[in-house]
Amino acid sequence: GQQLNQSPQSMFIQEGEDVSMNCTSSSIFNTWLWYKQDPGEGPVLLIALYKAGELTSNGRLTAQFGITRKDSFLNISASIPSDVGIYFCAGATSGTYKYIFGTGTRLKVLA
Amino acid sequence: GAVVSQHPSWVICKSGTSVKIECRSLDFQATTMFWYRQFPKQSLMLMATSNEGSKATYEQGVEKDKFLINHASLTLSTLTVTSAHPEDSSFYICSARTRLAGPIYEQYFGPGTRLTVT
């Protein structure tokens, strides 16, 4: 199936640092969702974006819906050890309910 | 937030047997539920879309006779893996769609079911 490209694939950061990751697509999407998945568990919804250019925050997390509608960004400020996990983006086109998932970004935080 | 549960959380079965996985939306009604499959260190791949009261729509390459999906009510969908083989071993995750307002929907995931076929 189709997948979105996420970057970076993985990253190690020091506790307290800010983190940025992005998701790009060759197709235009009308909705972007960001999820976090811990090992052995299902993904948990972090942020949902519905409008191009939209910037939405959830605590230390901020996500943006790219102007071109072909990308989205997730930033985590002042990272903490519990931020460890896999972050997935997911996009859906207008008129469909099928979300396509990104390849994931594995985050490891060094205390 | 909306809660989706799955049962069982993990199951081990012998090759050739069938396994049923339940997915329930606990505090909302889900007209649409989705079944995903995830292999280790990989992303989620959509297997099928399940609408309440109608036949499931399967993604290309997914055998509908092997992965039977039933969406009998607005809160329950089941996935049955028939005649399971070791290559069916995977993490199966369901999700349910809920409508927030107008054309805006969000998707919530269950905790997943780890299937191991021996």
Side-chain angles (χ1 to χ4, degrees), chain B residues 77-91:
Chain B
S77 177
T78 60
L79 168 67
T80 301
V81 183
T82 63
S83 187
H85 291 285
E87 56 264 33
D88 297 325
S89 299
S90 187
F91 193 48

Side-chain angles (χ1 to χ4, degrees), chain A residues 1-3 31 33 35 37 40-43 45 48 50 88 96-99 101-104 106, chain B residues 34 36 38 41-46 49 51 59 91 93 97 100 104-111:
Chain A
Q2 184 181 354
Q3 284 190 332
T31 307
L33 304 178
Y35 291 89
Q37 184 178 30
E41 299 182 15
L45 181 64
Y50 303 104
F88 289 104
T96 75
Y97 44 73
K98 294 183 181 179
Y99 282 94
F101 276 78
T103 48
R106 286 163 177 74
Chain B
F34 305 87
Y36 292 83
Q38 187 179 34
K41 297 186 178 181
Q42 293 189 24
S43 186
L44 288 77
M45 299 303 293
L46 180 64
T49 302
N51 289 298
E59 294 300 301
F91 193 48
I93 308 172
R97 188 174 77 138
L100 296 182
I104 298 177
Y105 296 82
E106 286 185 350
Q107 213 176 349
Y108 295 92
F109 285 83

Side-chain angles (χ1 to χ4, degrees), chain A residues 1 10 29 38 47 55 63-65 68 79 88 100 104 110:
Chain A
S10 63
F29 289 119
D38 291 326
I47 293 178
L55 188 70
Q64 183 163 25
F65 193 142
T68 66
S79 59
F88 289 104
I100 299 169
L110 305 174

Side-chain angles (χ1 to χ4, degrees), chain B:
Chain B
V3 179
V4 178
S5 70
Q6 277 184 245
H7 178 79
S9 56
W10 58 272
V11 57
I12 301 173
C13 70
K14 291 187 176 181
S15 186
T17 62
S18 295
V19 174
K20 180 185 283 188
I21 303 171
E22 291 186 351
C23 176
R24 294 181 185 272
S25 56
L26 298 185
D27 50 3
F28 65 98
Q29 292 183 330
T31 53
T32 305
M33 289 187 174
F34 305 87
W35 287 94
Y36 292 83
R37 185 173 181 175
Q38 187 179 34
F39 290 107
K41 297 186 178 181
Q42 293 189 24
S43 186
L44 288 77
M45 299 303 293
L46 180 64
M47 297 175 65
T49 302
S50 166
N51 289 298
E52 186 264 339
S54 62
K55 291 184 178 180
T57 303
Y58 291 82
E59 294 300 301
Q60 190 173 8
V62 178
E63 299 176 60
K64 62 179 181 180
D65 294 330
K66 181 168 185 63
F67 299 101
L68 301 179
I69 292 172
N70 182 275
H71 193 158
S73 75
L74 289 172
T75 59
L76 172 65
S77 177
T78 60
L79 168 67
T80 301
V81 183
T82 63
S83 187
H85 291 285
E87 56 264 33
D88 297 325
S89 299
S90 187
F91 193 48
Y92 291 87
I93 308 172
C94 73
S95 73
R97 188 174 77 138
T98 181
R99 185 175 185 177
L100 296 182
I104 298 177
Y105 296 82
E106 286 185 350
Q107 213 176 349
Y108 295 92
F109 285 83
T113 296
R114 173 77 58 195
L115 170 63
T116 302
V117 184
T118 61

